[in-house]
Amino acid sequence: MPTTTTTTTNSKTNNRIDTSVAEAFFASLTEQEIKFQTSYWSALQPINDTERFQRALFAYTSVHTSWKSNITAYSLIKDWWTWINQWDILDAKLRQSGAGLYNNRVRFIKDFSIKYWSDPSFYHKADQESWATYRNRIEDNILGLGMAKSSFFIEMLYPTTAEITCLDTHLFQLYGLDQTKNAKMYQDIEAHWVRMCFEYNVPCYVARCIYWDRKQGYKDSRYWSYVLEEGDFSQEIQYQ
């Protein structure tokens, strides 16, 4: 059985992280959950520049809104060729979605779109880069996605291999912390999450999906991730 600890302390902030609930979650993971979610997300890994761009759009539409509004907004703008370089159309689609933050979302997506399509390869992880260095490079070069949402973007690009995680308010709470008050603890929490994933042999993103899906009362992610599915995913996928 994996050996775990129950608390850790950040010397810079003098805050203690309660890891016991997170460790109980990892101990509860089943082989069935891990196998299904890993297989599913592996099949959903983007394979071209358009799909990678669409994952970024999903990250942008997830900022400060509900997961249902995230789906609605993304569904309206995923066909990016209908609004690219026509920012008034993008604005209208986002306002139709009801996701909020319209002016900033348009500004951020416009900035990202111009940068992305000028050099899509910039958003690939280099072989020599660590995952943290890659995440920091992405975060430093785009507007509107902080560390958490830059991590989310990368998770969706590399769903079964990324060794970082998007720490939202729910994961902060899992560790007994408040995202708004304890933001400096991000990398300490992430380090523990990644270590636990290695110990339990589960991809970091897959573990987070399982946690979130359970919290929402679902066995898998398809209640929201169906909007990312293309082609072969039109057939029914059974949870086994």
Side-chain angles (χ1 to χ4, degrees), residues 58 61 69-79 226-227:
F58 194 87
T61 55
S69 292
N70 184 180
I71 289 172
T72 300
Y74 174 73
S75 297
L76 288 168
I77 70 170
K78 66 177 292 187
D79 294 338
Y226 71 89
V227 294

Side-chain angles (χ1 to χ4, degrees), residues 59-97:
Y60 274 107
T61 55
S62 75
V63 176
H64 295 306
T65 196
S66 68
W67 67 264
K68 291 182 179 180
S69 292
N70 184 180
I71 289 172
T72 300
Y74 174 73
S75 297
L76 288 168
I77 70 170
K78 66 177 292 187
D79 294 338
W80 55 271
W81 49 89
T82 66
W83 52 260
I84 196 77
N85 295 323
Q86 300 178 81
W87 311 116
D88 57 331
I89 296 178
L90 174 62
D91 181 86
K93 288 178 178 291
L94 289 173
R95 290 180 186 278
Q96 180 184 347
S97 75

Side-chain angles (χ1 to χ4, degrees), residues 15 35 54 63 88 90 140 153 159-160 190 193 199 204 223:
N15 285 328
K35 182 177 180 181
Q54 288 172 322
V63 176
D88 57 331
L90 174 62
D140 289 344
F153 174 36
T160 62
E190 182 179 62
W193 184 269
E199 291 189 6
C204 297
Y223 62 98

Side-chain angles (χ1 to χ4, degrees), residues 108-166:
F108 296 152
I109 292 175
K110 176 182 177 180
D111 178 82
F112 177 79
S113 300
I114 293 169
K115 289 178 178 177
Y116 181 89
W117 289 112
S118 68
D119 183 12
S121 65
F122 175 84
Y123 300 90
H124 300 183
K125 179 182 177 293
D127 291 340
Q128 310 92 314
E129 282 185 305
S130 70
W131 286 99
T133 300
Y134 170 47
R135 190 254 313 282
N136 295 341
R137 175 169 64 82
I138 297 301
E139 181 188 0
D140 289 344
N141 282 274
I142 58 178
L143 294 176
L145 298 182
M147 183 175 288
K149 292 303 182 180
S150 293
S151 299
F152 185 33
F153 174 36
I154 291 170
E155 285 176 326
M156 290 189 292
L157 294 184
Y158 301 97
T160 62
T161 55
E163 295 174 14
I164 54 172
T165 197
C166 169

